[in-house]
Amino acid sequence: MNTAKTLDAKSPIPLYYQLKEILLAKIEEGEWKNGTLIPTENELIQHYQVSRTTVREAVNSLVAEGKLEKKQGRGTMVRKPKIEPVLGRLMGFTERISMLGFEPGARLIEARVVQSSETIKEKLQGEADVYFVKRVRLADDEPISIEETYWPLKIGKLYEGEDLNEIAFYPVLEKLGYKLSHAEEVISSVVASKEQAQQLNIKSGMPLLRIHRTTYTAAGEAIQYCCNYYRSDRYSYKVHLER
Amino acid sequence: MNTAKTLDAKSPIPLYYQLKEILLAKIEEGEWKNGTLIPTENELIQHYQVSRTTVREAVNSLVAEGKLEKKQGRGTMVRKPKIEPVLGRLMGFTERISMLGFEPGARLIEARVVQSSETIKEKLQGEADVYFVKRVRLADDEPISIEETYWPLKIGKLYEGEDLNEIAFYPVLEKLGYKLSHAEEVISSVVASKEQAQQLNIKSGMPLLRIHRTTYTAAGEAIQYCCNYYRSDRYSYKVHLER
DNA sequence: AAGTGGTCTAGACCACTTA
DNA sequence: AAGTGGTCTAGACCACTTA
């Protein structure tokens, strides 16, 4: 039990920070399980031989990070992993649909190099030619959306040889070391064309949610532009707003 | 200068919190300008006759909220207002449209007490009757959306006597001390009914962006449920996602 | 060198939860 | 009644910034 690391008072690293790291390790390594109470302030004071202020500083910063939760009179608890803050998180179709509890799928319509339109050029910061992939996306084998993606050629190359009826784009990129950072989306409403209706197995004239997305790497480079058309009867878009 | 409020040691409100509110007021009322240094910890200790711990607790919580910024050896500064994080911010139509550079407006269609449907009951946490307001919203005198809002009766009462062809809801609530906290939205796509098309001055069958919003107060109470139908040719919804 | 915030101690009384 | 975290005091030494 008392394998506990001790704090180094001579270190330039503040005591509260050393303690915080120790507590964090116990949480992440599962020594302290979700929902259980951690030792009380007095126990931590005794154990690590520091003042209450120091203990509180360590614990409070973990509370601020959402790792711990304090209740006056009761104790300090390891926080159950929050219900994934799903909203506002950049995800691909595969990831999103899996998370919603469906089996993701794809049906390739076409994949080829095309000339950039003006829009594409603007979004992808001037690429003359781009790699275009068009797929119907499925959830539990039912068509949910039409996905039209445009990639800079150097990215497109990475997908050659991959089975476009199968792959999810983002995991491939991340495995190759690309760091996705954020995306901007513009959402609007359109009615299904005859072709779209057929591909989505709905009647033409039905409303579709159209989502344009531009995705950026951590370096600030636009790495993807896509246009997705979602069946509005099977998919809705959720947003969380803060005042 | 020394019109400063003093702290009430006998109040059940903690000293650090009283102090925090005082500091916050000085920032928001502009007594302390953006980018200037606020009094030092020692000055605050002297002035308010509290311990350093208490001062630090007040200041640190404002630092956590982004209102202040500390620099060791230099002092504590009022933080310049961030480049408005417009996306993801809960705003009413009036605020949003103004920000986009248009003149907001409204045309009242109806306002009355109605029985709650099952949906409304669920969203507004069980209210039996609700105050319903339906308006067409305008930007530069052009119809942009149809706004159907449902309010708990006690909130609805606040709008009686107000000119519903004029008012923006949120500012009224906030002036009355209601603290809006956040909202959840569900976005989908629909086609305009004949009536909607007429109200929005478009053809029926045109696509509309439908946005359901449930708004919550800081107390966690659902204070508004609304359903907005936006012309998709004049309005699009922007979202920022983080990986 | 003087002044700032950063870290830390030892102690006190309190409100709240649980047994 | 005992134990928890919440608030608060008075004091100390430190690293960093500025003059």
Side-chain angles (χ1 to χ4, degrees):
Chain A
M1 191 59 196
N2 267 359
T3 54
K5 281 174 210 146
T6 49
L7 305 184
D8 178 3
K10 280 166 299 188
S11 162
I13 300 165
L15 291 176
Y16 81 88
Y17 194 85
Q18 295 181 43
L19 180 54
K20 176 186 166 184
E21 294 289 294
I22 291 174
L23 303 185
L24 188 56
K26 302 222 185 217
I27 295 166
E28 311 239 297
E29 287 162 16
E31 185 173 332
W32 293 341
K33 306 287 183 198
N34 282 338
T36 62
L37 294 174
I38 72 167
T40 66
E41 292 185 349
N42 279 322
E43 285 166 349
L44 293 171
I45 290 167
Q46 285 299 315
H47 198 287
Y48 294 99
Q49 292 294 304
V50 289
S51 72
R52 192 162 172 218
T53 309
T54 302
V55 167
R56 284 179 65 81
E57 207 155 357
V59 170
N60 281 340
S61 81
L62 289 170
V63 169
E65 289 173 22
K67 310 280 186 183
L68 294 175
E69 189 171 356
K70 300 211 278 192
K71 275 276 173 51
Q72 191 180 9
R74 188 153 189 288
T76 301
M77 235 174 53
V78 177
R79 230 184 154 191
K80 292 186 193 70
K82 292 153 277 183
I83 317 94
E84 193 75 20
V86 160
L87 271 41
R89 184 118 187 283
L90 170 58
M91 286 191 270
F93 182 90
T94 302
E95 195 178 352
R96 174 77 59 187
I97 291 298
S98 302
M99 213 194 53
L100 293 172
F102 299 91
E103 184 65 33
R107 192 164 66 223
L108 181 63
I109 297 181
E110 63 174 307
R112 58 194 175 91
V113 173
V114 300
Q115 255 196 323
S116 295
S117 69
E118 280 309 310
T119 308
I120 308 293
K121 238 181 237 166
E122 186 202 319
K123 301 293 182 184
L124 291 184
Q125 302 165 351
E127 301 271 328
D129 290 317
V130 293
Y131 185 62
F132 172 67
V133 181
K134 182 169 177 177
R135 307 193 288 186
V136 172
R137 300 308 308 258
L138 317 168
D140 285 355
D141 289 325
E142 189 174 23
I144 295 295
S145 77
I146 299 168
E147 170 194 277
E148 301 173 352
T149 46
Y150 302 84
W151 305 92
L153 285 186
K154 65 168 185 182
I155 303 294
K157 278 207 189 77
L158 306 174
Y159 297 132
E160 283 170 15
E162 299 275 358
D163 181 358
L164 292 171
N165 279 300
E166 273 295 332
I167 67 150
F169 294 125
Y170 293 168
V172 172
L173 289 181
E174 291 183 327
K175 219 166 290 167
L176 290 169
Y178 285 87
K179 294 211 186 277
L180 300 180
S181 158
H182 65 282
E184 305 294 339
E185 295 193 330
V186 177
I187 303 173
S188 52
S189 179
V190 298
V191 296
S193 70
K194 210 165 162 183
E195 188 192 359
Q196 288 174 328
Q198 189 214 319
Q199 286 161 344
L200 289 174
N201 198 20
I202 55 174
K203 291 189 186 133
S204 65
M206 295 276 280
L208 299 177
L209 207 54
R210 183 180 66 186
I211 303 178
H212 288 137
R213 173 185 287 185
T214 312
T215 310
Y216 299 87
T217 62
E221 199 183 0
I223 202 180
Q224 176 198 34
Y225 176 70
C226 62
C227 184
N228 294 299
Y229 297 88
Y230 285 87
R231 284 175 60 168
S232 202
D233 58 339
R234 288 299 154 95
Y235 188 86
S236 61
Y237 194 105
K238 293 184 178 57
V239 177
H240 175 91
L241 302 171
E242 288 282 339
R243 182 61 171 173
Chain B
M1 192 57 196
N2 268 358
T3 54
K5 280 174 209 144
T6 48
L7 304 184
D8 179 3
K10 279 165 299 187
S11 161
I13 300 165
L15 291 176
Y16 80 88
Y17 193 85
Q18 295 181 43
L19 179 54
K20 177 186 167 183
E21 293 289 293
I22 291 174
L23 302 185
L24 187 56
K26 302 221 184 217
I27 295 166
E28 311 239 296
E29 286 162 16
E31 185 173 333
W32 292 341
K33 306 289 183 198
N34 282 337
T36 61
L37 295 174
I38 72 167
T40 68
E41 292 184 349
N42 279 322
E43 285 167 349
L44 292 172
I45 289 166
Q46 284 299 316
H47 198 287
Y48 293 100
Q49 292 294 305
V50 289
S51 73
R52 191 160 171 222
T53 309
T54 302
V55 167
R56 284 181 65 81
E57 206 155 356
V59 170
N60 282 340
S61 81
L62 289 170
V63 169
E65 288 173 22
K67 310 279 187 183
L68 293 175
E69 190 170 357
K70 299 212 279 192
K71 275 276 173 50
Q72 190 180 11
R74 187 150 192 289
T76 300
M77 234 176 53
V78 177
R79 233 184 151 194
K80 292 187 193 67
K82 295 153 276 188
I83 318 92
E84 193 77 21
V86 160
L87 270 41
R89 183 122 185 283
L90 170 58
M91 287 192 270
F93 182 90
T94 302
E95 197 179 349
R96 175 77 60 187
I97 291 298
S98 301
M99 213 193 52
L100 293 172
F102 300 91
E103 184 65 32
R107 193 164 66 223
L108 182 63
I109 297 180
E110 62 174 306
R112 59 194 175 91
V113 173
V114 299
Q115 254 194 323
S116 295
S117 68
E118 281 310 310
T119 308
I120 307 293
K121 238 181 236 167
E122 187 203 320
K123 302 292 183 186
L124 291 184
Q125 301 165 352
E127 301 271 329
D129 289 316
V130 293
Y131 186 62
F132 173 66
V133 181
K134 182 169 177 176
R135 308 193 287 187
V136 172
R137 300 308 307 257
L138 318 168
D140 286 355
D141 289 326
E142 189 175 23
I144 295 294
S145 77
I146 299 167
E147 170 193 278
E148 301 173 353
T149 47
Y150 301 84
W151 305 91
L153 286 186
K154 65 168 184 182
I155 303 294
K157 278 208 189 76
L158 306 174
Y159 296 132
E160 283 170 14
E162 299 274 359
D163 181 357
L164 291 171
N165 279 301
E166 272 295 333
I167 67 149
F169 294 125
Y170 294 167
V172 172
L173 289 181
E174 291 183 327
K175 219 165 289 165
L176 291 169
Y178 286 87
K179 293 209 191 277
L180 301 180
S181 158
H182 65 282
E184 306 295 338
E185 296 193 329
V186 177
I187 302 174
S188 52
S189 178
V190 297
V191 296
S193 69
K194 210 163 161 184
E195 188 192 0
Q196 288 173 328
Q198 188 214 319
Q199 285 161 346
L200 289 174
N201 199 21
I202 55 174
K203 290 187 187 134
S204 64
M206 293 277 280
L208 299 177
L209 206 54
R210 182 181 66 186
I211 303 178
H212 287 138
R213 173 185 288 184
T214 312
T215 310
Y216 299 86
T217 63
E221 199 182 0
I223 202 181
Q224 175 198 36
Y225 176 71
C226 63
C227 184
N228 294 300
Y229 297 88
Y230 285 88
R231 284 175 61 167
S232 202
D233 57 338
R234 287 300 154 95
Y235 188 85
S236 61
Y237 193 105
K238 293 184 178 57
V239 176
H240 175 90
L241 302 172
E242 289 282 339
R243 183 61 171 173

